[in-house]
Amino acid sequence: MKESWGMLLWFVAAMIISTLPLLIFFDKNLLGKSIHLAAASTALGEAATIGFLWYNYRHRIPGVQLRGQVPTWVYVAAPVLIVAQVLVRSLVSFLHLPDWMNETFKQLEAQPWLAVLMIGISAPVLEEVLFRGILLTGLLRNYRPWVAILQSALLFGVFHMNPVQTVSAGLMGIVVGWLYYRTKSLLLCIVLHALNNLLALWANLHPTTKATKQVADAFASPWHYAAAVLLSALLLAWLLWRVQRATEPAAQPE
């Protein structure tokens, strides 16, 4: 547990170290555009953290399975699963948590190519390797499944360092963490993470949904929204139940 929290400190340290040369480079070449600096330092910080953990603890990290045991229908149903969990997680908006990264995301979305690269490709790959491939894999070797999954989800939420994302990402981390526990597929986690991020990016860029402050505003009435959330929760539960019946996780410590 202590080592898993220590990972966050290594990430912050890696970001600070990588930011200094990038700050000099971007100041001279890109007029100090903060969004480029933030995007590059975040990606480099994640990559450096993964490299450090892998090098120092490689003898304790079992081989990560990319494909695992995922029934084909799960990939087909992946977009439905993502939409369902996004609707369920949209209830977090009613907590009215502060969004410290709002302006940063607006700057990022103003450059779609960079947004797709960072949000749709870089973040899913690096974060899933870090949180599911390394941290959750290690936690599952030493703790009961739900303890390991909840711990990795908590770290995943805190990692985003933004209140509104912390809660939402933490809930997503529970779902993705459980799927990794059942399927041992890092690829499935990356695909789901990418779909989730690309859906959010599309919603923020599309003219129809761009003006809505929260998901509930996209529905004709509160009753329609409530019905959609309830249906999504039932659909999500059914999909996860199907995955449970179709997979058999490796033996875990008592």
Side-chain angles (χ1 to χ4, degrees):
M1 285 291 184
K2 291 181 180 179
E3 289 178 338
S4 64
W5 282 103
M7 178 277 303
L8 287 178
L9 298 179
W10 283 113
F11 169 68
V12 172
M15 277 195 64
I16 294 174
I17 294 172
S18 63
T19 297
L20 296 177
L22 287 171
L23 183 60
I24 297 173
F25 174 81
F26 283 128
D27 274 345
K28 292 182 177 180
N29 296 277
L30 292 175
L31 302 178
K33 291 183 177 179
S34 61
I35 189 57
H36 294 87
L37 176 64
S41 60
T42 299
L44 286 175
E46 291 174 349
T49 304
I50 291 171
F52 173 82
L53 293 176
W54 205 282
Y55 179 79
N56 284 274
Y57 302 103
R58 60 189 182 279
H59 59 286
R60 291 164 49 190
I61 301 175
V64 176
Q65 298 183 41
L66 182 63
R67 298 180 61 181
Q69 49 169 343
V70 184
T72 304
W73 67 265
V74 175
Y75 284 107
V76 176
V80 177
L81 189 151
I82 287 300
V83 172
Q85 61 91 30
V86 165
L87 280 170
V88 173
R89 286 193 294 119
S90 69
L91 293 171
V92 172
S93 64
F94 292 101
L95 297 176
H96 301 292
L97 297 170
D99 186 357
W100 297 342
M101 302 293 291
N102 185 48
E103 289 302 317
T104 301
F105 280 120
K106 284 183 179 180
Q107 292 180 44
L108 189 59
E109 290 162 4
Q111 303 182 54
W113 67 269
L114 182 60
V116 171
L117 176 63
M118 296 303 303
I119 297 176
I121 300 175
S122 174
V125 172
L126 293 175
E127 290 176 15
E128 290 309 316
V129 170
L130 180 58
F131 286 95
R132 257 58 70 175
I134 297 178
L135 289 183
L136 182 54
T137 298
L139 289 168
L140 284 170
R141 294 183 65 189
N142 298 284
Y143 299 95
R144 293 185 178 183
W146 278 112
V147 174
I149 292 169
L150 291 175
Q151 168 71 355
S152 65
L154 176 60
L155 286 165
F156 184 57
V158 173
F159 172 82
H160 287 79
M161 301 179 187
N162 185 22
V164 67
Q165 285 183 283
T166 292
V167 177
S168 184
L171 294 174
M172 177 184 169
I174 294 175
V175 174
V176 178
W178 183 84
L179 286 169
Y180 180 76
Y181 160 64
R182 295 297 305 192
T183 67
K184 288 295 182 291
S185 173
L186 188 61
L187 178 61
L188 175 63
C189 297
I190 293 173
V191 168
L192 293 175
H193 196 152
L195 288 174
N196 178 85
N197 289 8
L198 290 172
L199 176 61
L201 180 61
W202 175 85
N204 289 334
L205 294 176
H206 195 277
T208 304
T209 55
K210 186 177 182 179
T212 58
K213 293 184 178 180
Q214 55 187 29
V215 175
D217 297 335
F219 290 83
S221 72
W223 292 108
H224 286 86
Y225 171 68
V229 171
L230 178 59
L231 180 61
S232 297
L234 294 174
L235 180 58
L236 181 61
W238 179 74
L239 288 171
L240 296 180
W241 174 76
R242 286 288 309 276
V243 172
Q244 182 176 18
R245 287 179 58 88
T247 57
E248 185 66 36
Q252 304 295 327
E254 295 295 332

